[in-house]
Amino acid sequence: MTELAPGFLWGASTAPHQIEGNNLNSDFWASEGRMPGMERSGDACDSYHRYREDMTLLADAGLDAYRFGIEWARIEPVPGMISRAELAHYRRMIETAFELGLTPVVTLHHFTSPLWFAQDGGWLGDRAVERFRAYAEAVAPILDGVEWVVTMNEPNMLAIMIGMARALQDDPHAADAWLSPTVDNEGPRPKTPAPDVKIGERLVEAHHAVREVLREHTGAKVGWTVANRAFVGRPGAEEKKRELEYIWEDLYLEGSRGDDFVGVQSYSSQWVGPDGVEPHPPHPDNTLVGTAYRPDALSIAVRHTAEVTGGMPILVTENGIATRDDTRRIAYTDEALKHLRAAIADGADVRGYLHWSLLDNYEWGHWEPTFGLIEVDRETFERRPKPSLAWLGETARRLRG
């Protein structure tokens, strides 16, 4: 049996906009319902009020870590006005995690920003880095005792979302082909654009600025998370693969050098041919978001991340599958963990595994894709744990030894 690092974390992840509900002052809330086929988040899972129940279910299953986010749009609803009540709310979440024996992994930015920030140029605005830094300074005092802090979730995916938003400004008809950036179904939708390198460089700058703030004011390990495509090259496409890896991932992995850890987020793998990334071919095994069933992608992602970062400590901050069939979720996760342990046996320094997601939640414009270990009734908010939650808890107990 592969020996895991001492204190290896076992848990699950969420994002504030996807589960809290009524994130009224955020840019994403303002965009919801404006595009064909886009559903609203609304009350989401009402986790803003039910976070203790969510954490208790996680802890009772035998898991010991919970990744959740702080919502900037709640903390700073208008420029410079910091809500003490909201800071206290998120501090209560942190203290609840401690009380229940959960290690909190806290994310400061998970795709959504205050609407005022977006309207003033967003991440490309002149004061973007300064404003993100000021937000981090406001939040730092409530992070006392938190061991793991993520500055920003998937900056490479955020760069795509920023690019898509700019395209909508230039061509309002582009909205007609809109789909969630996390949905990859085959069909008439345009090919997901690659992240803009210039946007990526700005996000790296912002990450470094906030890393400095957190190191000055907290004792936390600081890093960010990267969406890993787990590219596999066709014969003769090695150079093209390296080119695309830099644009999609390595710019951000290189930006994590000097961090205390890097978060790996992996769901599937994609082939790269001489002409670029190949779309996921239609197949009965494809997930609810159209991606190929590739539990081996986690090992590919971890190995690539370790190589680019020079062996930096890795936290698997997201890994999961969009499916209605929970037996398939268990099978996928079981195989993914076997591949992860093989990567660890080969030298990858992995410190934990956080499943995506704890709850069936709002999937950035859609409710249909279900990633959760827990089903949520969207009218009553009743939580119904799936067999996969107990299975993951039992797996954690067994592998802890």
Side-chain angles (χ1 to χ4, degrees):
M1 182 180 293
T2 302
E3 189 166 333
L4 302 178
F8 189 94
L9 300 179
W10 288 96
S13 297
T14 58
H17 189 83
Q18 293 180 264
I19 66 167
E20 287 183 339
N22 301 303
N23 188 18
L24 306 177
N25 295 309
S26 78
D27 55 351
F28 206 91
W29 177 274
S31 73
E32 289 174 10
R34 288 171 48 194
M35 304 171 192
M38 187 181 197
E39 296 178 279
R40 290 187 175 276
S41 57
D43 291 325
C45 303
D46 194 32
S47 287
Y48 185 87
H49 302 103
R50 300 167 193 264
Y51 62 82
R52 174 176 284 274
E53 181 181 0
D54 296 338
M55 291 190 203
T56 300
L57 288 169
L58 186 66
D60 285 353
L63 298 164
D64 59 17
Y66 182 42
R67 177 182 171 220
F68 60 90
I70 294 173
E71 181 55 60
W72 184 4
R74 295 187 192 273
I75 300 295
E76 192 176 9
V78 297
M81 189 186 85
I82 301 299
S83 170
R84 294 180 179 85
E86 294 292 359
L87 288 173
H89 167 82
Y90 288 110
R91 181 60 199 179
R92 285 193 295 273
M93 288 188 69
I94 291 167
E95 290 176 349
T96 299
F98 291 150
E99 176 192 334
L100 295 172
L102 296 171
T103 296
V105 179
V106 178
T107 303
L108 299 189
H109 187 276
H110 198 126
F111 290 161
T112 50
S113 300
L115 180 59
W116 60 263
F117 178 80
Q119 290 174 335
D120 195 28
W123 290 104
L124 300 179
D126 292 340
R127 298 181 61 192
V129 175
E130 170 196 338
R131 284 169 161 164
F132 190 44
R133 183 185 174 96
Y135 159 61
E137 288 173 343
V139 168
I142 71 167
L143 299 176
D144 183 47
V146 174
E147 186 180 355
W148 304 84
V149 177
V150 173
T151 63
M152 189 180 293
N153 179 75
E154 294 186 342
N156 48 344
M157 289 301 296
L158 179 60
I160 292 171
M161 295 168 77
I162 294 168
M164 291 168 73
R166 292 171 74 192
L168 281 173
Q169 288 178 344
D170 296 339
D171 177 15
H173 296 294
D176 297 339
W178 182 92
L179 273 179
S180 164
T182 62
V183 173
D184 213 354
N185 290 331
E186 59 279 346
R189 71 170 295 183
K191 188 176 179 180
T192 302
D196 185 309
V197 169
K198 292 295 183 187
I199 298 173
E201 289 170 346
R202 169 58 66 89
L203 297 178
V204 170
E205 180 187 356
H207 166 61
H208 288 171
V210 167
R211 180 179 69 189
E212 181 181 294
V213 168
L214 294 171
R215 285 185 169 163
E216 182 179 348
H217 296 289
T218 79
K221 298 180 180 73
V222 183
W224 66 356
T225 72
V226 177
N228 198 297
R229 310 291 288 193
F231 287 137
V232 179
R234 298 286 190 190
E238 291 79 9
E239 187 175 337
K240 189 67 175 179
K241 175 174 170 283
R242 284 192 295 271
E243 172 193 329
L244 291 174
E245 279 175 335
Y246 179 79
I247 295 170
W248 280 93
E249 297 170 18
D250 295 0
L251 167 64
Y252 306 89
L253 294 175
E254 291 173 5
S256 72
R257 290 176 182 162
D259 291 357
D260 301 298
F261 72 96
V262 60
V264 165
Q265 311 209 152
S266 170
Y267 295 87
S268 186
S269 174
Q270 278 187 283
W271 289 99
V272 174
D275 297 326
V277 181
E278 298 179 5
H280 297 286
H283 193 279
D285 282 346
N286 283 4
T287 73
L288 290 177
V289 292
T291 53
Y293 182 89
R294 292 290 301 272
D296 63 317
L298 183 55
S299 174
I300 298 170
V302 165
R303 292 171 192 272
H304 180 73
T305 298
E307 179 184 352
V308 175
T309 63
M312 179 181 295
I314 289 169
L315 197 59
V316 176
T317 39
E318 292 184 21
N319 173 248
I321 179 174
T323 179
R324 298 182 191 91
D325 181 353
D326 200 53
T327 60
R328 200 160 179 248
R329 177 170 292 103
I330 292 171
Y332 171 94
T333 309
D334 187 44
E335 189 172 345
L337 288 172
K338 288 174 182 172
H339 288 288
L340 177 64
R341 289 162 63 199
I344 293 171
D346 288 342
D349 183 6
V350 181
R351 306 295 180 89
Y353 174 86
L354 306 178
H355 190 85
W356 183 271
S357 173
L358 179 61
L359 307 171
D360 286 341
N361 58 30
Y362 179 70
E363 189 56 36
W364 303 110
H366 301 278
W367 280 100
E368 183 183 9
T370 46
F371 286 89
L373 301 168
I374 299 171
E375 180 185 357
V376 179
D377 186 306
R378 287 183 51 213
E379 292 189 8
T380 66
F381 306 110
E382 178 189 359
R383 271 64 171 151
R384 304 185 189 109
K386 303 175 187 178
S388 54
L389 177 62
W391 174 87
L392 186 60
E394 181 55 39
T395 298
R397 279 189 286 266
R398 177 168 50 84
L399 293 179
R400 286 189 194 111

